Amino acid sequence: MQEKGSISIHTENIFPIIKKFLYSDHEIFLRELVSNAVDATQKLQSLARQGEYKGELGELKVRVTVDKEARKITVSDHGLGMSAEEIKKYINQIAFSGATEFVEKYKETDAQAKDQIIGQFGLGFYSAFMVAKEVEIWSKSSKEDALTAHWTCDGSTEFTLEETEGEHAKAERGTDVVLHVADDSDEFLEEARLKGILTKYCKFLPIEIEFEGEVINQTKPIWTKQPADLTDEDYVNFYQELYPFSEPPLFWIHLNVDYPFNLTGILYFPKVKDELQLQRNKIQLYSRQVFITDEVKDVVPEFLMLLHGVIDSPDIPLNVSRSFLQADGAVRKINQYITKKVADKLAELFRKDREGYEQKWSDIGLFVKYGMLSDEKFYEKAKDFVLVQNV
């Protein structure tokens, strides 16, 4: 039986608003859809671990395919899947109540309107309409005897939803999101463009992402491992992977804290050879292994902006499109923690290997002196390991 309905929303023009204001960068749609597919897969794994899902897990890859002739991009997973009822709940109601709330706030041109964490809105999925004139969902729940649910929407507030059997039904559990690409979004039908987006945002996602037959990510990047399980070579190789053609780093700090906030990552002290390279090789910020931005101004103290590496924290508050950080108490605590870790590492190097420290001083002196001038707490620690040349 096919159901037709209207999505519960008070504003007819939500899609132009999503297109115009919510995401400044249209390529984000792929990050959002792939992240959703990874979430659905991890939820299934979690149910299996708890004994709530008893079936075979099978292969859990997320696949992205493009058919240029048919103008279609498909993102498929073998995760939890959704029933027709769940699609109504999660895709229609939640997303649109969130979207309406967003629009209401945005109307008043209140800067705070965009300062909500994306998870509060089911809006990630709707970023698909930035590049698609129609979106279909084919989904089969992981629950026993589930029927395939098929949802279609052309970017208006109208949708159709039906349960299908027979030749149109999905053989396996999971979800396929099919984008019928709009005429003004031809660039996203190019394989090279899609691969570039996936490599940028999804390179370290925890579930394998396959694009046109090739797995494009490492599911266990080294910052998710324990320092005791890693060698110096692992750290140097990872640095070269982040910043090809760069000289090996001087040393690094492995961040790993779960209280009072979650934070993992690796910060590298580079050799200060070339100002341009320093500006280009920025610290990359991730949230649960999804790349967010390399503008980390508030998270990392200013005097350490010359460091390279990766920070991953689900606790850093982002705005609704995940593209800007919100400076708040958590960010300040993380900022202070990073300062302390860097000071401790420098003090340890100074104590354990004074000669090696002196050899590196021409590279690290700049950080240390700038830090002492700009940060009182750092000054207190650094006055014990700052070196002043005898003239």
Side-chain angles (χ1 to χ4, degrees):
M1 186 191 96
Q2 188 183 70
E3 177 177 347
K4 282 187 184 297
S6 238
I7 289 159
S8 47
I9 179 164
H10 314 306
T11 319
E12 285 297 321
N13 60 352
I14 181 66
F15 288 107
I17 286 175
I18 286 178
K19 240 177 164 157
K20 244 196 178 111
F21 299 117
L22 184 53
Y23 297 96
S24 49
D25 204 343
H26 286 191
E27 68 178 31
I28 297 297
F29 82 93
L30 200 52
R31 176 188 75 185
E32 297 300 320
L33 295 180
V34 171
S35 298
N36 286 351
V38 167
D39 285 348
T41 308
Q42 289 184 302
K43 281 174 183 157
L44 185 75
Q45 286 176 317
S46 172
L47 289 179
R49 281 195 298 273
Q50 293 162 35
E52 284 184 44
Y53 176 73
K54 304 230 176 356
E56 288 292 315
L57 284 178
E59 190 182 54
L60 291 175
K61 271 182 194 166
V62 171
R63 285 190 171 80
V64 179
T65 53
V66 59
D67 181 338
K68 199 170 175 179
E69 294 303 303
R71 300 185 65 83
K72 285 200 295 200
I73 298 169
T74 305
V75 178
S76 303
D77 67 67
H78 294 293
L80 207 53
M82 292 181 284
S83 64
E85 279 305 307
E86 286 167 327
I87 288 180
K88 270 162 73 170
K89 183 176 166 189
Y90 296 119
I91 300 294
N92 295 346
Q93 291 163 5
I94 290 191
F96 276 95
S97 60
T100 310
E101 188 186 327
F102 171 77
V103 175
E104 288 306 309
K105 285 185 173 176
Y106 207 85
K107 267 207 258 188
E108 295 150 29
T109 61
D110 171 9
Q112 294 296 307
K114 281 176 100 169
D115 295 358
Q116 307 290 332
I117 295 167
I118 195 156
Q120 294 177 348
F121 304 109
L123 283 174
F125 167 75
Y126 282 94
S127 62
F129 286 100
M130 293 192 301
V131 301
K133 58 187 178 199
E134 182 181 70
V135 179
E136 294 180 81
I137 298 172
W138 296 86
S139 195
K140 186 176 184 181
S141 167
S142 52
K143 298 185 177 103
E144 271 181 56
D145 305 324
L147 292 172
T148 299
H150 179 214
W151 178 91
T152 312
C153 178
D154 64 0
S156 70
T157 52
E158 306 296 313
F159 69 88
T160 63
L161 176 63
E162 59 186 328
E163 290 184 319
T164 60
E165 294 180 86
E167 60 174 316
H168 293 302
K170 269 177 72 65
E172 298 173 306
R173 54 141 221 270
T175 301
D176 302 337
V177 178
V178 184
L179 279 61
H180 297 269
V181 175
D183 297 338
D184 62 0
S185 297
D186 282 357
E187 62 180 291
F188 299 111
L189 292 168
E190 301 299 332
E191 277 186 31
R193 178 79 169 101
L194 292 177
K195 189 175 181 185
I197 300 169
L198 289 167
T199 306
K200 177 176 174 181
Y201 293 106
C202 308
K203 193 159 122 187
F204 299 114
L205 279 174
I207 299 291
E208 283 194 354
I209 313 298
E210 187 182 277
F211 177 61
E212 308 297 275
E214 179 192 350
V215 173
I216 56 102
N217 60 324
Q218 293 178 30
T219 56
K220 291 193 171 73
I222 71 169
W223 77 80
T224 64
K225 299 175 182 175
Q226 291 302 316
D229 300 333
L230 297 164
T231 64
D232 286 359
E233 194 183 358
D234 292 326
Y235 287 107
V236 173
N237 289 345
F238 184 63
Y239 184 78
Q240 301 283 306
E241 195 181 318
L242 289 176
Y243 312 110
F245 314 115
S246 296
E247 282 200 53
L250 295 164
F251 55 91
W252 49 86
I253 298 163
H254 195 131
L255 306 168
N256 194 348
V257 62
D258 52 19
Y259 182 81
F261 45 78
N262 271 296
L263 178 79
T264 51
I266 298 160
L267 293 178
Y268 292 93
F269 272 76
K271 287 185 177 161
V272 186
K273 277 280 183 292
D274 168 2
E275 188 57 37
L276 187 71
Q277 189 185 334
L278 282 176
Q279 288 166 351
R280 195 178 60 237
N281 295 348
K282 295 178 173 180
I283 294 170
Q284 300 175 6
L285 177 69
Y286 289 75
S287 177
R288 296 191 176 89
Q289 295 170 236
V290 180
F291 173 72
I292 303 297
T293 181
D294 55 12
E295 296 299 332
V296 293
K297 193 165 77 11
D298 296 318
V299 184
V300 176
E302 195 184 349
F303 74 96
L304 295 176
M305 290 292 275
L306 294 177
L307 297 188
H308 297 164
V310 164
I311 294 171
D312 188 335
S313 175
D315 291 340
I316 291 176
L318 305 165
N319 74 344
V320 73
S321 67
R322 302 207 235 192
S323 51
F324 296 102
L325 299 174
Q326 305 305 326
D328 78 339
V331 170
R332 274 196 299 280
K333 285 193 187 104
I334 288 171
N335 185 306
Q336 287 160 4
Y337 170 79
I338 289 170
T339 304
K340 179 183 180 304
K341 288 293 280 189
V342 169
D344 292 349
K345 179 73 177 183
L346 290 167
E348 180 196 345
L349 287 170
F350 179 78
R351 273 197 323 274
K352 286 188 175 168
D353 178 13
R354 174 71 187 257
E355 196 181 325
Y357 185 83
E358 285 180 15
Q359 285 166 2
K360 294 185 177 95
W361 183 250
S362 62
D363 286 297
I364 58 179
L366 184 67
F367 296 102
V368 174
K369 289 171 187 170
Y370 185 19
M372 291 174 80
L373 289 170
S374 60
D375 188 308
E376 227 171 284
K377 282 185 176 153
F378 185 76
Y379 175 85
E380 282 309 310
K381 294 193 170 208
K383 63 183 198 295
D384 297 333
F385 54 72
V386 65
L387 298 181
V388 182
Q389 251 173 328
N390 193 353
V391 291

